[in-house]
Amino acid sequence: MAHIDAGKTTVTERILYYTGRSHKIGEVHDGEATMDWMQDEQERGITITSAVTYCLWKGATIQIIDTPGHVDFTVEVERALRVLDGAIGVFCAVGGVEPQSETVWRQADRYKVPRMAFINKMDRTGADFFAACDSIRKKLAANPVMIQVPIGAEDQFRGVIDLLTMEQIAWNDETLGAEYTSGPIDDEFLDLAEAYRDKMLEAVSELDDTIMEKYLGEEEISVDELRAAIRAATIRRTMVPVLCGSALRNKGIQPLLDAIDYYLPSPKDVPPVKGEHPETGDILEFKPEKNGPLAALIFKVSMIEGRKLSFARIYSGKIASGADVFNPALNRKEKLSRLLRMHANKRERLDEASAGDIIGIVGLKDSGTGDTLCNPDHPVFLEKMEYAQPVISIAIEPKTHADQEKLDDVLAKFMIEDPTLQTSKDEETGQTILSGMGELHLEIIISRMVKEFNTSVNVGKPQVVYREIITAPATGQAVFEREIQGKAHYANVTVELNPLGRGQGVTFKSLVPEEKIAPQYLQNIETAIRESLEGGFLKGYPIVDIEIVLADGFSEEGKASELGFGVCAAMAVKEALKKAKMALLEPIMDVEVFVPDANMGDAIADLNARGGRVESITAKFGIQLVKAVVPLSRMFGYSTAIRSATQGRGTFTMQFKRFDAV
């Protein structure tokens, strides 16, 4: 996991080559990377969808997910972190901790995932291993402990020194780094190695009493003891081992594989996964045992060549090809037709998979992302995944009649794959509205429609998703009296609307005694009111941050009904909204812009012109990082503007921060 362009896919390519999974190194810039198999990924040189693979290294099976670095695709990182036991944060030796690195690191904190850091691109001009480590400590509030130091930097980068074994490792360029040698440390690097080994021992001793005693007593500490202490601290998340290398120059990958084996947890090292019994609500634990009850989580669904492929992590038990599994969310059984071991978009068939495996499943008709698969006699809900809400919308319409027939089907397939993508129909215009996480996200969906499904659409200007609020209390009263199909309905309802603080949502409470409105009608009243708020009042956007109080209500004898109370409550809310003072909220974005020193003035002037507020400016090796908050409605076309203002050298990331008054 990492920021854009830190080298995640390149690192993964080298891992596959050195472990014998692939026989040729595919380069991202040539569009030939194994893990970037989609046409859009190859053309753009970026990762869009997380790819699953596995490899064998010195007797261990390592399962890897290569995730995207672009903020528009953070859902892919979220899904991977939910099901994996460890993570490698890849950092650029020049940029150190970049904005998206912070985002993915916080996601890993949320899922309590142990991690290591790999400082990549040691061969680049301006590479500084020690400054990159320092930025991990300061910006991520982590405890990075160097277990390697580089030999040289920039174009002088030759290899690494292992501070545990005190050996120097160098790679053979003629074999593309597949062969490497380790031996005594050159005299010129000995002082540096000893100084940093002492720092490492000091850091490890603070986290391990046995090492502390030996360190203070100046006793010999064996490599195995050190590895055991570092492993325990990494799994407890009190330490982040730091390694370095240059994946593009084929240096540093084999020690990284060793470190995965030594320090990151196996499924048995992490706490057993917890779930909830669908009926009793009891909390259940599932240990990673092959013969235990089945507990597997579907974390991703892909539509490949029109076929549905579900990716699942098995936490406990085993699954056989052709078996029946139970989905408690649907409350029914599903049949698996095939089990697959994934290698990016290639796959091999499996007869059986068990605890700890990440597999592809073909044949699940209705199970979706976040669903649990289990045995009928041991039902369980594993924790659902949460996704950010889309912040940007575009209007799309099919170009031809043939496209019209395909469009709904294609959109349904994309929404099965991507939970952050939403579609809706604008009832007034008849347009289909597509909402996503950013301009690039939507651009790639439109591109995939043409390339994968041969469906062309016209795209309208993106629309911003606003919200409506009330700014002062209001009361409304309504009477509903009607005869429908021979039955008389009568309801009289009074509601009070009160504004709530930002982000509080919609709450409902009733002050009406049971003798006036029977409890069975309250659920219907609340549902009708919530539905009436969805369509808004001011501009048709959903109303949020509001408390609805059912202040009074009654019916006449024999005329009470769910329909009557529901319609009447919605009418009363409408009356209250007519009198209420209302305001619009717009999405405000956190924007981080990287600009060269020379273009600083232009970049800030442009942000100010967009109604942005600059919050901080930080200098980073000839580049300035500007942090600002800007209304989303003013950020359209910004990627083009920042590129033209900086001769294509400026980049930015943007993510939703909050809704604020327009």
Side-chain angles (χ1 to χ4, degrees):
M1 56 176 201
H3 188 81
I4 313 150
D5 272 352
K8 294 174 297 299
T9 303
T10 308
V11 169
T12 313
E13 288 301 317
R14 298 309 185 271
I15 287 176
L16 296 178
Y17 181 66
Y18 299 141
T19 56
R21 285 294 299 148
S22 59
H23 303 297
K24 170 176 174 283
I25 293 180
E27 298 294 8
V28 175
H29 50 261
D30 297 332
E32 292 179 355
T34 310
M35 304 304 279
D36 287 350
W37 55 270
M38 273 169 57
Q39 192 180 341
D40 270 297
E41 293 180 315
Q42 291 166 355
E43 287 172 7
R44 294 165 192 264
I46 60 170
T47 302
I48 293 166
T49 174
S50 57
V52 178
T53 187
Y54 80 102
C55 62
L56 302 172
W57 181 251
K58 296 184 179 174
T61 303
I62 303 175
Q63 306 192 69
I64 307 169
I65 300 187
D66 173 33
T67 62
H70 200 284
V71 67
D72 285 17
F73 309 110
T74 29
V75 64
E76 295 286 344
V77 185
E78 189 91 16
R79 300 201 263 204
L81 285 169
R82 170 67 181 81
V83 296
L84 293 184
D85 300 328
I88 299 169
V90 181
F91 299 91
C92 170
V94 180
V97 175
E98 294 170 283
Q100 193 57 14
S101 326
E102 292 183 42
T103 307
V104 296
W105 200 266
R106 284 195 296 272
Q107 286 174 303
D109 281 338
R110 195 162 67 242
Y111 288 113
K112 299 183 171 59
V113 177
R115 61 216 93 137
M116 299 192 307
F118 181 71
I119 312 286
N120 191 27
K121 305 197 176 184
M122 281 304 303
D123 58 312
R124 268 187 66 188
T125 305
D128 188 334
F129 173 70
F130 305 103
C133 279
D134 208 36
S135 71
I136 294 174
R137 180 175 289 105
K138 286 177 181 164
K139 291 191 173 177
L140 304 177
N143 178 24
V145 176
M146 300 174 203
I147 59 172
Q148 288 180 349
V149 288
I151 303 170
E154 303 184 348
D155 56 354
Q156 298 297 309
F157 176 65
R158 302 207 310 273
V160 300
I161 292 169
D162 185 327
L163 297 177
L164 278 87
T165 61
M166 287 299 272
E167 288 181 323
Q168 181 170 313
I169 305 172
W171 280 266
N172 182 345
D173 289 336
E174 288 176 14
T175 61
L176 297 175
E179 289 175 11
Y180 58 101
T181 54
S182 51
I185 300 169
D186 292 350
D187 292 345
E188 59 182 303
F189 297 113
L190 209 49
D191 290 347
L192 172 89
E194 281 171 353
Y196 277 97
R197 178 179 168 85
D198 208 50
K199 285 187 179 182
M200 176 192 74
L201 290 174
E202 196 178 311
V204 177
S205 67
E206 284 174 15
L207 302 169
D208 188 287
D209 293 343
T210 317
I211 303 286
M212 170 75 84
E213 280 176 31
K214 289 198 167 189
Y215 178 65
L216 294 176
E218 296 189 357
E219 293 175 46
E220 186 66 34
I221 303 169
S222 74
V223 173
D224 288 345
E225 285 175 308
L226 264 177
R227 280 186 183 142
I230 294 172
R231 179 183 181 85
T234 306
I235 291 170
R236 286 199 309 272
R237 304 195 326 282
T238 52
M239 174 198 289
V240 177
V242 184
L243 299 92
C244 61
S246 165
L248 192 63
R249 300 280 169 262
N250 312 311
K251 292 177 171 62
I253 301 300
Q254 293 92 340
L256 176 66
L257 281 162
D258 287 337
I260 293 170
D261 198 11
Y262 290 141
Y263 309 124
L264 286 182
S266 86
K268 290 189 174 175
D269 296 316
V270 290
V273 69
K274 288 187 169 72
E276 191 179 293
H277 193 288
E279 284 146 28
T280 63
D282 293 344
I283 300 297
L284 308 171
E285 275 196 353
F286 290 84
K287 291 182 177 165
E289 292 167 353
K290 185 175 181 177
N291 297 321
L294 175 65
L297 182 74
I298 298 173
F299 65 93
K300 177 179 160 81
V301 173
S302 278
M303 303 298 291
I304 297 174
E305 296 159 6
R307 302 279 305 274
K308 184 173 168 182
L309 176 65
S310 308
F311 291 84
R313 155 82 195 253
I314 307 174
Y315 286 100
S316 164
K318 58 178 186 249
I319 300 182
S321 184
D324 286 338
V325 287
F326 182 67
N327 181 336
L330 305 173
N331 198 22
R332 60 185 159 90
K333 286 183 181 178
E334 287 242 60
K335 191 171 189 68
L336 316 174
S337 56
R338 290 211 304 277
L339 296 181
L340 306 167
R341 190 184 287 287
M342 302 305 299
H343 178 49
N345 64 332
K346 300 181 179 68
R347 56 208 86 147
E348 56 192 71
R349 291 181 72 153
L350 292 174
D351 294 328
E352 186 181 89
S354 58
D357 284 335
I358 289 178
I359 51 165
I361 299 175
V362 179
L364 296 176
K365 284 203 178 94
D366 301 308
S367 299
T369 302
D371 282 358
T372 303
L373 302 178
C374 54
N375 299 126
D377 50 349
H378 277 93
V380 63
F381 277 127
L382 296 177
E383 169 196 8
K384 274 265 188 190
M385 290 181 263
E386 290 178 11
Y387 305 111
Q389 288 299 307
V391 291
I392 183 170
S393 302
I394 52 174
I396 58 171
E397 53 187 34
K399 281 191 173 172
T400 66
H401 184 65
D403 293 327
Q404 170 75 59
E405 290 171 358
K406 284 191 281 187
L407 184 61
D408 289 346
D409 186 36
V410 170
L411 287 176
K413 284 178 177 166
F414 281 134
M415 283 166 67
I416 289 170
E417 272 193 14
D418 187 347
T420 59
L421 194 69
Q422 293 181 6
T423 65
S424 59
K425 275 271 195 290
D426 186 324
E427 296 303 331
E428 289 177 21
T429 63
Q431 280 181 313
T432 300
I433 305 295
L434 188 63
S435 307
M437 301 305 294
E439 287 184 80
L440 180 65
H441 185 199
L442 295 177
E443 192 186 309
I444 281 166
I445 292 294
I446 300 299
S447 166
R448 286 183 63 196
M449 275 186 188
V450 176
K451 289 172 186 160
E452 292 176 32
F453 297 97
N454 203 16
T455 305
S456 300
V457 291
N458 294 317
V459 179
K461 188 179 182 312
Q463 296 173 329
V464 178
V465 184
Y466 291 86
R467 296 285 184 268
E468 297 179 17
I469 53 165
I470 60 167
T471 55
T475 305
Q477 191 237 345
V479 177
F480 178 78
E481 188 171 14
R482 191 145 327 152
E483 189 176 302
I484 299 169
Q485 291 181 338
K487 182 177 177 352
H489 300 266
Y490 178 85
N492 186 321
V493 173
T494 305
V495 294
E496 290 171 5
L497 307 181
N498 298 314
L500 292 176
R502 204 73 85 244
Q504 301 271 306
V506 179
T507 64
F508 173 83
K509 68 177 180 185
S510 168
L511 304 177
V512 184
E514 287 188 9
E515 56 269 18
K516 285 183 128 183
I517 297 182
Q520 70 256 35
Y521 298 129
L522 289 179
Q523 181 62 51
N524 214 56
I525 290 172
E526 182 181 348
T527 304
I529 289 173
R530 284 180 182 273
E531 283 174 359
S532 71
L533 296 176
E534 280 297 309
F537 187 77
L538 204 58
K539 296 273 186 188
Y541 295 106
I543 299 172
V544 294
D545 303 338
I546 186 171
E547 177 190 52
I548 302 124
V549 180
L550 188 61
D552 196 12
F554 57 89
S555 180
E556 291 176 352
E557 200 173 325
K559 295 183 181 177
S561 67
E562 286 185 356
L563 171 76
F565 275 122
V567 174
C568 189
M571 288 162 61
V573 168
K574 200 166 188 182
E575 284 304 310
L577 290 172
K578 279 181 187 170
K579 303 175 202 167
K581 289 182 175 165
M582 299 199 71
L584 262 188
L585 298 181
E586 66 178 338
I588 303 291
M589 310 304 283
D590 257 335
V591 180
E592 296 187 328
V593 193
F594 287 85
V595 283
D597 294 345
N599 308 110
M600 190 67 183
D602 294 344
I604 287 180
D606 185 48
L607 285 171
N608 290 338
R610 293 171 187 271
R613 191 178 76 243
V614 174
E615 295 193 322
S616 70
I617 299 171
T618 319
K620 292 178 79 175
F621 191 73
I623 284 201
Q624 302 278 355
L625 168 60
V626 182
K627 293 191 176 187
V629 287
V630 192
L632 175 64
S633 57
R634 309 289 293 278
M635 284 300 288
F636 293 125
Y638 185 65
S639 50
T640 312
I642 190 68
R643 281 175 194 151
S644 57
T646 59
Q647 291 88 46
R649 289 185 297 159
T651 59
F652 79 103
T653 61
M654 172 171 83
Q655 63 191 47
F656 173 72
K657 184 169 190 181
R658 60 170 188 268
F659 279 102
D660 224 333
V662 172

